[in-house]
C-alpha cells in the first residue's frame, strides 16, 4: 500500500509497532531510555524556560501533558509485556522499566520548581477540561508531598519506590506459585469429558491438577470426590503463603506512613479522597449497607445450599469454599434444570470470540478488522483494528486479544493499556489478557470475556480527547468497573446469545435454557454479595488497623461477613492479589455494580441494541473518559443522580 490515505484503515494515526519476540528485550530498554529522555527534556524546558505571553497557560499545560504522554508511552507497553511476554528476561526488564518510570513520575510530583510553574497558571485562561486538568495535577503534587520539607519528601519517594517493588514481588509470588494436586483419574469422576481427555495420567498413574483457573474451577465445581475438592481448595488458598505475609505487613505500614506524611488520618482516607466514595469512613458504611441489603437473600439461598449439602453430609452445620461451588452447581442443576456441562456445549471459544465482536460492534457502532501481520508477543495473540462505524469506518484504535493460559503469563483476566489515545496525536491501543480454555467455555467465562472487553472498548472510545491524563479508562477507580459490569448483561440475554452460542451441530442455545440459566444465576447472589463484602472488609480493615495477626483478623471478618466457614490452617489473604492493586478499595467492585444496575435500567430489555440509548451511553458515559466526574457522566446519561434502587431490586429478585 503506497498511499496510506487511500486505505481507510491505514489512514490517520499510526499504531505502535511491537517488537518480534527476539527483539523485545532491546526494544523495551530503548523505549524506556527514549521515553524518559523525552520527558526529561520537556520538564527541563518547563522548569527553566516556561511558555510566556497570552496563551502561556494552555501552552504550559500542553507541555505538561506531553510529559505524561512520554511516561505512559513507556509504562503502558512495559506493564503489559511484564505480564504476558513468554521470555522471562523480557518480563524482568519490563518490571525494571516500570519501576524506573514510577520513580521518575514520583520525583516529578515532588519537584517544587515544576509545581510552582503550574501553580502560577490562571485557571481563568483555560477551558473547563483544561482547568480540571490543572486542578487534578496540583492535587497530585500535593498528595505526593510537594509542600513538605526535604526529609519527608525524600522519605515519600523512598516509600513509593519500595511499594512498587513490594507490589511486583507480591504479584509474582502469586503468579509463580502454581500448586498441584496429583490424584488417580478415578477420583476425578464428575469432571467434563473434554477436560479429562486433556489431562491424561502420567507414568505413576496419576493426574496432575493445578491451581490455575482452567483446572481449579472445574475441579472444585464438578469433582464428586470431596477429598480432591478440599485438597485443591486448600492448595488454591495457600498460593503466595508464607512469603507474601511479611510483604503485606510492610505494604500496609508503608501506605499508612505515606498517608500520614501528606496529611491524611489513614491510608483508606488518602485513597478514598480521589474516588467517587470520597471519604475513608464511607467505605465501612457502604459495606454495612450492602451487608444489610444482602442479609435476607443470603439466608434464603444458604438454607437451600445447606439442605442439599446435608443430604450427603447429614450432620454438617456449615459449609466451606471447598464444597460451596460443587453444591451450588448441584442445587442449580436440580432446582433449575441447568447442567453446566450441557450449557458449555453452546460456547465454543472461537464462536464466542466472534460473537463478542459482533455484539459489541453492533451495540457501540464499531467494526473490528483483523490485522494478521501485526507483530505480537505470542502466536496465540490476535490483533484487530477498531473502526468507527458511525464515522465512515475511521480507525480509532487497535486491540490485542491474548486469551489462553501459558506458563509465566498473568493468571487472571484484565485489560491492559498499550497506548493512551489522543485526538490527532495517538491511536488508542489496548490488550485483553485472559486465561480461557481453547475449546468449550463455561458460561461464566463468557461473561468474564464480555466484562473485560467492556474495559477495552472503554479504553478505545475514550481515546479521542485532548489530554493524556483523561484518556481511556481514566475515571475514578470505583467507577471503572460499572461499564464492564453493565456489558455483562448482553452475555445473559437470550436473543443476543442466539446469535453466536450454537452447539456443534449449529443449533442455537434455546431461550428457555437461557431463562433457566438466569434463574440459576440468581441463586446465591445474596451470599456472593456477602463474600464480596468479606473481601472488601479485609481490604479496608487490614489497611485501617494493620492487624499483627492477619490470619486471625481475616478469620474474624470471615465470620462476620462471609457465608462460608474458614478452613483451618489456610491463608487466603496471601493470594488475594487485589490487596496490592486495589489496596483498601476492594469495595469498588460492589460500588460500581450498584451503578451498573442503575445504568442498565435505562436500556429496554426488549431491545438491548436501541441505537438512541446505546449512542447516548457511548457518547456520555464512555467517550468522556476522565474529563468529567463519574457522578456527572452518570447523571448526564440517566437524567438523574445514581441510586441504589435498581441494585436492591435485582438482589431481592
Ligand atoms: Zn473489571
Amino acid at each position: 500500500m503506497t498511499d496510506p490515505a487511500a486505505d481507510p484503515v491505514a489512514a490517520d494515526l499510526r499504531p505502535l509497532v511491537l517488537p518480534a519476540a527476539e527483539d523485545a528485550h532491546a526494544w523495551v530498554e530503548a523505549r524506556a531510555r527514549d521515553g524518559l529522555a523525552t520527558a526529561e527534556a520537556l520538564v527541563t524546558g518547563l522548569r527553566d524556560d516556561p511558555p510566556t505571553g497570552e496563551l502561556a497557560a494552555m501552552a504550559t499545560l500542553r507541555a505538561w501533558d506531553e510529559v505524561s504522554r512520554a511516561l505512559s508511552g513507556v509504562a503502558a507497553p512495559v506493564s503489559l509485556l511484564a505480564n504476558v511476554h513468554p521470555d522471562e528476561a523480557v518480563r524482568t526488564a519490563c518490571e525494571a522499566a516500570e519501576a524506573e518510570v514510577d520513580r521518575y513520575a514520583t520525583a516529578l510530583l515532588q519537584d517544587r520548581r515544576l509545581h510552582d510553574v503550574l501553580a502560577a497558571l490562571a485557571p481563568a485562561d483555560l477551558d473547563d477540561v483544561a482547568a480540571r486538568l490543572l486542578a487534578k495535577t496540583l492535587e497530585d503534587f500535593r498528595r505526593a508531598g510537594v509542600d513538605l520539607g526535604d526529609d519527608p519528601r525524600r522519605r515519600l519517594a523512598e516509600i513509593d519506590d519500595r511499594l512498587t517493588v513490594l507490589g511486583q514481588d507480591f504479584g509474582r509470588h502469586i503468579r509463580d506459585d502454581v500448586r498441584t494436586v496429583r490424584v488417580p483419574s478415578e477420583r476425578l469422576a464428575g469432571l467434563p469429558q473434554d477436560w479429562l481427555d486433556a489431562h491424561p495420567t502420567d507414568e505413576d498413574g496419576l493426574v496432575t491438577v493445578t491451581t490455575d483457573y482452567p483446572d481449579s474451577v472445574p475441579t472444585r465445581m464438578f469433582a464428586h470426590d470431596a477429598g480432591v475438592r478440599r485438597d485443591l481448595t486448600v492448595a488454591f488458598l495457600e498460593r503466595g503463603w508464607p512469603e507474601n505475609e511479611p510483604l503485606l505487613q510492610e505494604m500496609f505500614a508503608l501506605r499508612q506512613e505515606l498517608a500520614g506524611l501528606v496529611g491524611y488520618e489513614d491510608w483508606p482516607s488518602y485513597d478514598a479522597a480521589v474516588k467517587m466514595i470520597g471519604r475513608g469512613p464511607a467505605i465501612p458504611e457502604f459495606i454495612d449497607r450492602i451487608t444489610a441489603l444482602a442479609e435476607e437473600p443470603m439466608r434464603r439461598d444458604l438454607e437451600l445450599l445447606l439442605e442439599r449439602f446435608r443430604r450427603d453430609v447429614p450432620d454438617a452445620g456449615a459449609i466451606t469454599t471447598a464444597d460451596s461451588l460443587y453444591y451450588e452447581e448441584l442445587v442449580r442443576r436440580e432446582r433449575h434444570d441447568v447442567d453446566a456441562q450441557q450449557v458449555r456445549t453452546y460456547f465454543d471459544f472461537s464462536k464466542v470470540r466472534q460473537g463478542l465482536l459482533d455484539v459489541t460492534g453492533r451495540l457501540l457502532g464499531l467494526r473490528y478488522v483483523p490485522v494478521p501481520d501485526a507483530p505480537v508477543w505470542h502466536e496465540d495473540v490476535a490483533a484487530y483494528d477498531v473502526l468507527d462505524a458511525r464515522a465512515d469506518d475511521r480507525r480509532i484504535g487497535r486491540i490485542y486479544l491474548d486469551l489462553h493460559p501459558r506458563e509465566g503469563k498473568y493468571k487472571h483476566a484484565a485489560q491492559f493499556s498499550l497506548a493512551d489515545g489522543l485526538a490527532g496525536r495517538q491511536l488508542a491501543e489496548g490488550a485483553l489478557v485472559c486465561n480461557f480454555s481453547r475449546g468449550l467455555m463455561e458460561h461464566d467465562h463468557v461473561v468474564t470475556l464480555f466484562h473485560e472487553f467492556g474495559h477495552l472498548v472503554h479504553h478505545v472510545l475514550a481515546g479521542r480527547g485532548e489530554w493524556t491524563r483523561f484518556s481511556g479508562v481514566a475515571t475514578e477507580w470505583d467507577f471503572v468497573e460499572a461499564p464492564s459490569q453493565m456489558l455483562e448483561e448482553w452475555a445473559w440475554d437470550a436473543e443476543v446469545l442466539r446469535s453466536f452460542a450454537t452447539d456443534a451441530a449449529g443449533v442455537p442455545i434455546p431461550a428457555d435454557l437461557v431463562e433457566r440459566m438466569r434463574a440459576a444465576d440468581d441463586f446465591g447472589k445474596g451470599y456472593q454479595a456477602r463474600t464480596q463484602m468479606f473481601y472488601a472488609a479485609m481490604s479496608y480493615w487490614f489497611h485501617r488497623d494493620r492487624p499483627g495477626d492477619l490470619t486471625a483478623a481475616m478469620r474474624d471478618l470471615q465470620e462476620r461477613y462471609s457465608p462460608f466457614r474458614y478452613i483451618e490452617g489456610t491463608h487466603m489473604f496471601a493470594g488475594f492479589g487485589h490487596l496490592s492493586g486495589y489496596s483498601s478499595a476492594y469495595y469498588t467492585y460492589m460500588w460500581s455494580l450498584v451503578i451498573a444496575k442503575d445504568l442498565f435500567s435505562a436500556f429496554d430489555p426488549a431491545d438491548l441494541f436501541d441505537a438512541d440509548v446505546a449512542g447516548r451511553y457511548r457518547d456520555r458515559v464512555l467517550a468522556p473518559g476522565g474529563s468529567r466526574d463519574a457522578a456527572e457522566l452518570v447523571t448526564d446519561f440517566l437524567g438523574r443522580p445514581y441510586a441504589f434502587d435498581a441494585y436492591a431490586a435485582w438482589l431481592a429478585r
Side-chain angles (χ1 to χ4, degrees):
M1 199 89 36
T2 49
D3 176 16
D7 175 4
V9 175
D12 206 10
L13 299 170
R14 293 281 170 183
L16 190 64
V17 177
L18 289 170
E22 62 277 16
D23 302 330
H25 202 149
W27 185 90
V28 165
E29 287 179 349
R31 191 158 181 98
R33 198 175 49 239
D34 296 350
L36 284 163
T38 302
E40 181 56 22
L42 287 159
V43 166
T44 305
L46 273 175
R47 232 194 252 121
D48 299 342
D49 188 19
T52 52
E54 215 180 320
L55 302 171
M58 210 58 177
T60 306
L61 266 190
R62 284 196 202 289
W64 171 247
D65 193 62
E66 278 300 313
V67 175
S68 306
R69 179 159 84 109
L71 294 179
S72 91
V74 181
V78 303
S79 88
L80 168 66
L81 294 177
N83 281 285
V84 297
H85 205 277
D87 182 347
E88 192 181 352
V90 173
R91 298 200 299 271
T92 307
C94 286
E95 286 184 357
E98 210 179 350
E100 204 180 338
V101 170
D102 203 67
R103 205 156 40 231
Y104 182 76
T106 303
L108 279 191
L109 292 177
Q110 296 183 335
D111 185 322
R112 183 69 71 93
R113 283 177 58 211
L114 186 58
H115 168 264
D116 291 350
V117 167
L118 291 160
L121 304 182
D125 296 344
L126 303 167
D127 64 44
D128 285 354
V129 181
R132 174 182 170 85
L133 174 64
L134 179 61
K136 295 272 177 202
T137 302
L138 294 175
E139 187 181 31
D140 292 343
F141 274 94
R142 185 182 58 74
R143 286 166 62 84
V146 75
D147 303 330
L148 304 176
D150 287 346
D151 283 349
R153 250 188 305 158
R154 254 196 300 278
R155 178 63 186 147
L156 278 176
E158 220 172 81
I159 291 174
D160 196 74
D161 215 16
R162 179 67 187 148
L163 281 172
T164 303
V165 174
L166 284 171
Q168 287 175 343
D169 288 351
F170 176 75
R172 188 174 49 249
H173 289 161
I174 301 171
R175 206 160 64 225
D176 291 350
D177 190 2
V178 178
R179 303 199 177 200
T180 56
V181 171
R182 295 176 75 235
V183 289
S185 62
E186 60 271 21
R187 292 189 63 197
L188 291 168
L191 276 144
Q193 192 55 45
D194 60 301
W195 187 94
L196 291 168
D197 292 345
H199 292 72
T201 52
D202 60 21
E203 60 266 29
D204 301 330
L206 299 173
V207 176
T208 299
V209 186
T210 76
T211 50
D212 282 351
Y213 289 127
D215 277 7
S216 62
V217 171
T219 304
R220 292 169 68 187
M221 192 180 275
F222 298 125
H224 297 321
D225 190 317
V228 172
R229 296 197 306 266
R230 188 179 173 91
D231 289 349
L232 191 67
T233 302
V234 168
F236 187 83
L237 293 173
E238 289 296 88
R239 289 172 314 144
W241 196 81
E243 57 273 54
N244 271 348
E245 183 163 359
L247 264 51
L248 284 173
Q249 292 284 14
E250 190 184 349
M251 197 186 286
F252 302 151
L254 289 177
R255 282 173 172 162
Q256 174 66 26
E257 189 186 345
L258 185 159
L261 281 169
V262 291
Y264 292 86
E265 193 174 335
D266 50 43
W267 172 268
S269 298
Y270 167 83
D271 189 65
V274 290
K275 294 194 163 67
M276 267 183 107
I277 203 163
R279 300 176 304 115
I283 297 171
E285 289 165 18
F286 174 73
I287 291 172
D288 288 342
R289 183 168 183 181
I290 298 292
T291 297
L293 279 177
E295 180 73 20
E296 267 319 296
M298 173 186 78
R299 280 187 195 291
R300 186 182 64 199
D301 290 349
L302 203 52
E303 198 39 56
L304 290 172
L305 197 67
L306 277 166
E307 199 179 277
R308 181 62 190 80
F309 185 42
R310 286 195 199 102
R311 276 200 263 147
D312 291 352
V313 186
D315 51 352
I319 189 163
T320 73
T321 53
D323 297 309
S324 58
L325 280 182
Y326 179 79
Y327 283 96
E328 187 174 292
E329 171 60 17
L330 270 187
V331 171
R332 286 191 176 139
R333 207 178 321 165
E334 292 168 0
R335 289 183 62 89
H336 299 287
D337 193 22
V338 175
D339 176 350
Q341 297 202 38
Q342 185 213 345
V343 170
R344 60 207 287 285
T345 61
Y346 292 101
F347 296 107
D348 169 71
F349 172 79
S350 54
K351 287 191 239 174
V352 170
R353 186 173 68 175
Q354 190 53 48
L356 167 80
L357 298 176
D358 294 343
V359 166
T360 57
R362 181 176 163 204
L363 179 68
L364 297 167
L366 302 172
R367 288 208 308 121
Y368 309 93
V369 179
V371 190
D373 56 347
V376 292
W377 52 91
H378 188 272
E379 61 187 12
D380 279 353
V381 182
Y384 297 84
D385 276 329
V386 183
L387 313 186
D388 186 354
R390 289 187 352 197
D392 303 324
D393 276 353
R394 188 189 167 91
R395 176 165 66 182
I396 58 168
R398 176 170 287 185
I399 56 173
Y400 295 85
L401 305 183
D402 181 358
L403 301 179
H404 305 300
R406 61 177 176 268
E407 210 188 309
K409 181 182 155 180
Y410 182 75
K411 296 294 179 204
H412 304 270
Q415 181 258 333
F416 288 80
S417 167
L418 190 51
D420 289 326
L422 291 164
R425 286 194 285 163
Q426 191 159 284
L427 194 66
E429 297 186 61
L432 263 206
V433 181
C434 303
N435 286 279
F436 301 123
S437 62
R438 291 163 195 276
L440 299 176
M441 299 172 76
E442 315 295 333
H443 179 251
D444 270 7
H445 292 186
V446 177
V447 175
T448 301
L449 179 59
F450 272 71
H451 174 106
E452 296 304 336
F453 199 82
H455 293 305
L456 192 58
V457 284
H458 191 181
H459 174 73
V460 170
L461 285 168
R464 288 183 296 161
E466 212 179 333
W467 306 102
T468 304
R469 166 68 188 255
F470 300 140
S471 172
V473 187
T475 60
E476 292 98 313
W477 259 40
D478 43 2
F479 177 70
V480 294
E481 293 301 327
S484 285
Q485 287 163 327
M486 193 190 77
L487 196 58
E488 292 178 19
E489 304 280 356
W490 275 257
W492 280 106
D493 183 78
E495 267 308 302
V496 173
L497 290 174
R498 267 187 74 79
S499 68
F500 65 86
T502 56
D503 66 12
V507 178
I509 190 166
D512 68 303
L513 174 57
V514 178
E515 200 176 310
R516 295 199 307 278
M517 284 160 60
R518 291 177 68 132
D521 184 61
D522 280 343
F523 175 72
K525 67 193 169 190
Y527 64 68
Q528 283 153 7
R530 291 291 290 263
T531 301
Q532 290 294 306
M533 291 306 93
F534 160 46
Y535 296 155
M538 205 171 9
S539 124
Y540 177 78
W541 292 108
F542 277 13
H543 282 88
R544 229 295 303 259
D545 290 352
R546 288 160 287 121
D549 184 343
L550 294 180
T551 308
M554 176 183 74
R555 203 184 168 129
D556 284 350
L557 293 171
Q558 186 161 356
E559 269 163 30
R560 180 155 160 212
Y561 292 103
S562 170
F564 304 120
R565 182 175 286 178
Y566 171 71
I567 300 177
E568 286 303 327
T570 57
H571 308 85
M572 170 268 167
F573 59 84
F576 184 29
H578 292 306
L579 286 175
S580 166
Y582 278 78
S583 75
S584 51
Y586 189 78
Y587 75 91
T588 59
Y589 271 55
M590 193 59 75
W591 177 273
S592 49
L593 184 62
V594 169
I595 297 172
K597 294 295 177 193
D598 206 11
L599 291 173
F600 187 59
S601 70
F603 285 83
D604 177 0
D607 181 12
L608 291 184
F609 293 96
D610 182 286
D612 261 12
V613 186
R616 244 184 327 126
Y617 177 70
R618 172 181 153 168
D619 293 340
R620 299 187 183 187
V621 178
L622 300 179
S627 63
R628 297 176 71 187
D629 287 352
E632 285 176 32
L633 304 180
V634 174
T635 302
D636 195 23
F637 171 65
L638 290 175
R640 57 162 173 81
Y642 66 89
F644 276 63
D645 307 2
Y647 172 79
W650 168 79
L651 197 60
R653 182 171 80 194

